[in-house]
Amino acid sequence: MGFFTGGGLYLVGRTFDMGHEALLFLNVGVFLFPMFFLMIYLFYKKRACALIAIFRLWEFWAVLGLGLLMLVRLPDSLFEEYGVQKIKYYLVNNMVCFFGPVLSSAVWGNPGLYRFLKGVLLGGLALTVYFWVSGSYLELPFNIYAVLNFNPIEISRLIGLFILLVVIGEVMAIPHLFVFLLAAAASAAMILLDARGPALALVIALLCGGMAAGRREFRLPPVLVVPLFILLAVYVSSHYWFSPDFFSLSDNGRWQLYQAALATFGQNPVLGAGTGSYASISPVPGINYPHNLFLESAAELGLAGLALSLLFVFAPLLRLACRRKKVKETALAVSLLVFCLVNAMLSGDVPGNYLLWLAGGVAASAAMTAAEDYR
């Protein structure tokens, strides 16, 4: 609720020319408001001890370590102003997204995780409905700040997250036919936005989520949605002029950005160039990050940043893969992590990949509630 309300208020603030600083405080305030009350409620219910389990999870220490390392490497930045912005958004985007499901699980246990995910699901549903009713797909390719101040790729990621929550998570009791109709509407929205990266990530995540599911009835929906998605992609790309490159294999200049990040890492592999430095050495003017989370961490934060970012992603994935009892939460956490990981390998910077931190928070919450159930 805080996330979508914050985006909406940010858009309203831009309309009334409130200024960037006022907009930042408005957005941050709405983001942190529900977190503040969750903390109060946690102590009110005397459930603070439930947070002890988070200290045993590697992703928790990776989240804190990355934030601290970004702060430590800021003084040596080649573009300190941009580095400061990255740290700001890391605190109010990435860390809030990680601790949102964690705090919900600490307060209410496993039902708390599903309460949180229901909120995300309803936000994604509202976004999908707005997309179709408003006809925004006719304007988004030309106006990157339409709909909640997000660009087409960002909206596609949120819609992909919504599809995973509906199909694999089964967060709400919805008839299967309606699930496929919702998935079809959301998939078509992603295709109309020409979001190749999120589309590829969604197909991979659906397949991984289906394989991670322990029961056959949980495996069937994602297996059926994948061919539905591909058929829709073929149809939309064949009949609508604004999605002509959906099946293109071009890298859109990514390889040039990757080479620059690797060269920067090679020059200072231990410490990196400093937080936000890639913006000053980018081979493409206006592109401030290499569109790859691990290369960005390596170039700016060195081996320590690369190790922490790898630990953050693969520690929960390994734990979920080794889990003997395959439950619905396992399949959902795997699919969310894979979806966000593939996106992070192809687009966005660290703050822009806040959904990966959300997926990490869901995986951590599932581990916390499993440990509590065991006790």
Side-chain angles (χ1 to χ4, degrees), residues 59 63 66 90 93-99 101 154 157-158 161 292-294 297 308-314 316-317 333-364:
E59 57 265 38
V63 167
L66 277 170
Y90 185 83
N93 283 11
N94 303 62
M95 293 192 71
V96 167
C97 285
F98 178 81
F99 284 106
E154 200 63 51
R157 292 182 178 185
L158 290 168
L161 190 72
N292 183 290
L293 176 70
F294 302 127
S297 300
L308 285 171
S309 59
L310 289 169
L311 182 67
F312 171 66
V313 175
F314 291 102
L317 274 176
V334 167
S335 64
L336 291 179
L337 278 168
V338 170
F339 175 68
C340 297
L341 171 61
V342 176
N343 276 305
M345 296 284 287
L346 299 173
S347 184
D349 58 353
V350 169
N353 278 298
Y354 54 85
L355 290 181
L356 181 59
W357 271 251
L358 176 72
V362 171

Side-chain angles (χ1 to χ4, degrees), residues 21-311:
E21 287 299 321
L23 287 176
L24 177 64
F25 286 117
L26 178 66
N27 206 12
V28 170
V30 177
F31 234 12
L32 297 181
F33 189 70
M35 301 288 288
F36 174 72
F37 278 97
L38 271 176
M39 287 295 297
I40 292 178
Y41 202 56
L42 181 71
F43 288 102
Y44 172 75
K45 291 193 68 176
K46 299 179 181 179
R47 293 269 302 170
C49 60
L51 282 175
I52 295 176
I54 194 70
F55 297 113
R56 294 193 289 267
L57 301 178
W58 287 108
E59 57 265 38
F60 167 75
W61 297 107
V63 167
L64 295 184
L66 277 170
L68 181 61
L69 189 59
M70 289 172 67
L71 187 63
V72 169
R73 295 295 299 132
L74 181 62
D76 294 326
S77 175
L78 301 176
F79 197 155
E80 189 170 347
E81 182 181 356
Y82 179 64
V84 170
Q85 291 297 320
K86 287 187 71 170
I87 294 174
K88 279 184 181 179
Y89 285 108
Y90 185 83
L91 293 174
V92 300
N93 283 11
N94 303 62
M95 293 192 71
V96 167
C97 285
F98 178 81
F99 284 106
V102 168
L103 284 175
S104 299
S105 300
V107 174
W108 293 292
N110 197 51
L113 175 59
Y114 275 87
R115 288 182 185 183
F116 177 86
L117 292 175
K118 281 181 182 179
V120 178
L121 174 68
L122 291 174
L125 176 60
L127 189 64
T128 303
V129 170
Y130 179 84
F131 178 87
W132 284 109
V133 172
S134 66
S136 298
Y137 55 90
L138 297 175
E139 302 171 0
L140 279 169
F142 310 106
N143 179 12
I144 64 171
Y145 292 110
V147 188
L148 296 181
N149 204 50
F150 299 130
N151 59 42
I153 298 299
E154 200 63 51
I155 294 174
S156 299
R157 292 182 178 185
L158 290 168
I159 291 175
L161 190 72
F162 162 67
I163 294 174
L164 293 175
L165 291 173
V166 169
V167 175
I168 294 180
E170 297 182 356
V171 175
M172 298 183 69
I174 302 174
H176 283 297
L177 178 61
F178 195 49
V179 166
F180 288 117
L181 290 175
L182 286 174
S187 299
M190 289 181 67
I191 297 162
L192 289 170
L193 290 170
D194 199 19
R196 294 185 298 160
L200 174 64
L202 178 63
V203 170
I204 296 174
L206 284 167
L207 294 175
C208 290
M211 290 187 292
R215 292 163 58 184
R216 184 176 300 176
E217 58 266 32
F218 293 149
R219 294 176 183 172
L220 186 60
V223 171
L224 293 177
V225 169
V226 169
L228 172 66
F229 183 83
I230 295 173
L231 289 173
L232 280 170
V234 173
Y235 178 80
V236 172
S237 298
S238 302
H239 290 77
Y240 293 91
W241 63 271
F242 41 77
S243 187
D245 300 323
F246 191 76
F247 288 102
S248 172
L249 298 178
S250 64
D251 64 0
N252 285 347
R254 295 287 197 275
W255 181 241
Q256 185 181 4
L257 300 174
Y258 296 164
Q259 286 179 314
L262 285 170
T264 304
F265 175 60
Q267 292 170 3
N268 193 351
V270 178
L271 299 175
T275 306
S277 291
Y278 188 88
S280 68
I281 59 175
S282 173
V284 182
I287 303 297
N288 296 331
Y289 45 86
H291 288 71
N292 183 290
L293 176 70
F294 302 127
L295 289 178
E296 178 185 358
S297 300
E300 295 188 353
L301 304 175
L303 286 171
L306 177 60
L308 285 171
S309 59
L310 289 169
L311 182 67

